[in-house]
Amino acid sequence: MKKFKLFIDNEWVEPEDGKYFTSYCPATGEPLAELASASANDVNKAVQAAKRAFPEWSKTDGDVRADLMMKALSLFKARIREFAEWEAKDVGKPIKETMGTDLPYAFRAMEYFSNLGRQIRGNVIPLPGRSALCYETYEPFGVVGSIIPWNFPLHIATRTICPALSAGNTVVLKASSLAPITCSMMAEIFLEAGYPKGVINIVSGSGSVTGEAMLRNDDVNMVSFTGSTEVGRRCLHSSAETNLKKVLLELGGKGPFIADKDCLVSDAVNSLIIGFCFMQGEVCCASTRAYVHKDIYDEFVEKLVARCNAIRLGDIMDPETQMGSLIDENQFKQVDKYVKDAVADGAKLLCGGFREMDAPMDKGYFYRPTVLEVASNDLACVQEEIFGPVVTVKKIDNFEEALELSNDSVYGLGATVWSENYRTLLKATETFNAGIVWMNTNVMSKIEASYGGNKQSGLGREGGVVGLMEYLKCKNNVLYTGPRENYYGFED
């Protein structure tokens, strides 16, 4: 069984108190690796290493930083199958997804942000009177703490640390204790690529100890957190109570999906299914509230139920498997409780709603795709994030009603609309209170474009040029070039 120490200052070091924890495969229950549990002092050691490395790294030429990341990318690609298998086993997702999504997205983040980092530029600001040269420059914050979730460890880790490093920051990365293996493995890549000591540090441990220590460390200048809205609030509290570090948050969601009467029904159904079944529905931007026009409702729901029942669950290492296991027993219990409570509250269970127990699924937490028909938008299953393969469907009379119901949520991450009328699509983009709007597609997240939400779905954006700029602070520089100034009329 693999064993990972803490990666601090380009060395593998034992945790201060000698504690380790075991990561298990959600799909089989088998132990996969032991990882060090970082204490608050361990986290501080990583932070101090990053702090020491920052002055030189921040002044390193952008091309040099980019070339290092491209070298790391080359090493990463050479181990694609190894990383894909570990990612699948640690998260419980199908190998088809890690090979087709997780690894390619991680590779693209490294390539995209390394090259974007070569082009960081400022602005010259024309001032009235032309008595001063005013220009803006962009500088790295310093030490960035990156705290990532368990659903897409490699994808989300690279989406955050790559722009941070390319902008000249140093990093302390902490993965979820539920799926930490591949992030610790990444340290091997950065070490072999030749990154200077302290530029990238990777620690493992619980959120309550390791994560909290990062949030409360005064030498951490910025935190990027992806996870629940509840913990996002904790990040803001910690920032307010300590050094007012910048906080970038990508939080929960409850994505609406509108199928208008003129949409391509079959295509829209397929789009909804990937929207709430991909990664077992454990996706913040999942489409989990479907509003379907009454004229196509029966056809839509009939196809939806039939296709959900046909999705293949099973051995996650089989390339034919389409859905894997929920992350752990707690997540299974949460999902199942939402479904049972919804039925008790009047929702109609159209399919799914149970855990598969046939071999080889009997030792995991494989939950069938679940469709709940609802009459009210106020049910908990409609309003609260379930984080599993569960979607609610509601019949609507018109498009305006669907838009109103879509915005009736505390979340505002992703929103989807299907129609063959471009006016309908454009109206939706103007009306949705969401960070991302998908038209006649779904959950399409690309590194080149921004990703993030409104309302309780987060603050700031990851991805694209906007995402790179999140890791830079703006400085206004003013050089006076006019006549001598003597505001108070002093004599020379």
Side-chain angles (χ1 to χ4, degrees):
M1 187 164 61
K2 279 181 174 285
K3 186 173 184 177
F4 292 97
K5 300 177 183 179
L6 306 171
F7 185 71
I8 300 173
D9 220 15
N10 275 15
E11 294 182 3
W12 292 99
V13 299
E14 290 281 354
E16 182 181 64
D17 55 13
K19 291 183 179 179
Y20 282 77
F21 65 95
T22 302
S23 185
Y24 296 86
C25 175
T28 65
E30 66 173 312
L32 298 174
E34 289 185 335
L35 297 101
S37 292
S39 66
N41 282 340
D42 291 321
V43 171
N44 189 53
K45 290 175 185 176
V47 172
Q48 295 309 314
K51 183 180 178 180
R52 288 191 300 270
F54 174 70
E56 184 173 349
W57 180 250
S58 63
K59 292 178 174 57
T60 299
D61 190 85
D63 283 332
V64 175
R65 294 197 296 250
D67 290 344
L68 267 176
M69 190 169 289
M70 291 302 290
K71 183 177 180 182
L73 172 59
S74 178
L75 296 169
F76 204 177
K77 285 183 174 180
R79 297 173 62 180
I80 180 172
R81 184 73 193 186
E82 176 191 3
F83 270 89
E85 289 180 355
W86 279 107
E87 185 93 332
K89 289 188 289 186
D90 208 22
V91 179
K93 65 173 67 178
I95 187 71
K96 177 181 179 180
E97 287 187 14
T98 59
M99 284 292 290
T101 300
D102 298 56
L103 270 297
Y105 273 55
F107 296 159
R108 181 56 180 159
M110 297 179 80
E111 179 182 34
Y112 177 77
F113 285 114
S114 65
N115 289 317
L116 203 60
R118 302 178 194 268
Q119 314 172 49
I120 296 172
R121 56 177 64 90
N123 305 297
V124 175
I125 313 298
L127 296 182
R130 302 187 178 277
S131 61
L133 171 63
C134 179
Y135 61 97
E136 294 171 338
T137 53
Y138 292 89
E139 302 172 353
F141 281 89
V143 178
V144 173
S146 178
I147 304 175
I148 66 165
W150 43 259
N151 52 353
F152 295 94
L154 288 174
H155 164 43
I156 296 178
T158 51
R159 191 181 72 188
T160 62
I161 69 173
C162 290
L165 292 170
S166 295
N169 300 282
T170 53
V171 169
V172 179
L173 170 66
K174 181 210 168 296
S176 167
S177 56
L178 294 178
I181 294 175
T182 50
C183 283
S184 289
M185 288 172 63
M186 273 204 301
E188 302 166 357
I189 300 293
F190 290 111
L191 185 61
E192 186 178 352
Y195 271 76
K197 293 175 61 174
V199 169
I200 173 73
N201 307 271
I202 301 176
V203 297
S204 48
S206 68
S208 60
V209 176
T210 310
E212 185 71 12
M214 191 182 298
L215 292 175
R216 301 198 69 83
N217 193 299
D218 284 335
D219 287 322
V220 173
N221 306 105
M222 174 181 174
V223 164
S224 171
F225 171 77
T226 301
S228 70
T229 299
E230 178 185 1
V231 178
R233 288 193 179 95
R234 181 64 196 141
C235 293
L236 292 174
H237 288 159
S238 294
S239 173
E241 292 167 355
T242 55
N243 61 338
L244 285 178
K245 57 179 66 68
K246 176 176 178 177
V247 179
L248 177 59
L249 301 175
E250 198 275 280
L251 306 175
K254 193 68 181 177
F257 181 104
I258 297 177
D260 204 18
K261 60 184 178 182
D262 63 347
C263 75
L264 301 177
V265 174
S266 183
D267 292 358
V269 169
N270 292 342
S271 176
L272 176 58
I273 291 174
I274 194 172
F276 82 95
C277 290
F278 184 72
M279 179 49 209
Q280 300 77 247
E282 298 165 315
V283 182
C284 51
C285 65
S287 296
T288 52
R289 297 181 289 144
Y291 302 106
V292 183
H293 195 279
K294 62 183 180 181
D295 291 356
I296 60 168
Y297 184 83
D298 291 342
E299 178 189 0
F300 189 100
V301 170
E302 181 181 358
K303 284 181 166 62
L304 175 63
V305 169
R307 293 175 189 180
C308 284
N309 286 334
I311 289 179
R312 293 188 297 275
L313 284 68
D315 180 4
I316 60 172
M317 304 311 289
D318 182 344
E320 297 301 312
T321 295
Q322 296 172 315
M323 271 182 60
S325 168
L326 296 173
I327 191 67
D328 63 7
E329 184 178 13
N330 289 335
Q331 191 64 27
F332 158 67
K333 288 180 177 179
Q334 174 177 300
V335 171
D336 197 51
K337 184 177 188 305
Y338 268 110
V339 173
K340 286 181 168 55
D341 287 351
V343 172
D345 290 339
K348 182 178 180 181
L349 180 65
L350 300 184
C351 69
F354 64 93
R355 175 185 176 187
E356 290 277 13
M357 293 301 294
D358 293 336
M361 297 174 283
D362 52 319
K363 293 186 172 55
Y365 301 97
F366 293 80
Y367 204 81
R368 287 300 314 181
T370 300
V371 179
L372 295 167
E373 186 178 56
V374 299
S376 169
N377 212 50
D378 297 327
L379 297 179
C381 63
V382 182
Q383 289 295 324
E384 299 175 16
E385 185 177 43
I386 298 174
F387 226 59
V390 180
V391 67
T392 64
V393 290
K394 187 178 189 309
K395 184 186 297 186
I396 51 103
D397 291 328
N398 54 65
F399 186 65
E400 288 68 26
E401 178 192 4
L403 287 174
E404 182 178 351
L405 293 172
S406 294
N407 284 334
D408 178 25
S409 171
V410 298
Y411 297 107
L413 185 51
T416 306
V417 57
W418 274 77
S419 171
E420 287 300 286
N421 186 330
Y422 77 91
R423 296 181 185 275
T424 298
L425 298 175
L426 292 178
K427 181 176 181 180
T429 65
E430 295 172 353
T431 307
F432 278 137
N433 189 350
I436 314 157
V437 176
W438 292 294
M439 296 170 281
N440 293 343
T441 187
N442 207 0
V443 293
M444 180 183 288
S445 170
K446 299 296 182 182
I447 293 298
E448 297 83 357
S450 65
Y451 183 91
N454 305 336
K455 298 189 280 188
Q456 292 185 32
S457 288
L459 298 170
R461 296 293 184 266
E462 301 277 11
V465 175
V466 173
L468 176 72
M469 300 307 291
E470 291 280 8
Y471 293 90
L472 292 161
K473 54 188 178 184
C474 182
K475 177 182 286 183
N476 181 13
N477 307 275
V478 182
L479 172 62
Y480 184 68
T481 59
R484 294 179 63 191
E485 291 183 318
N486 192 353
Y487 183 81
Y488 289 103
F490 297 122
E491 294 182 4
D492 289 337

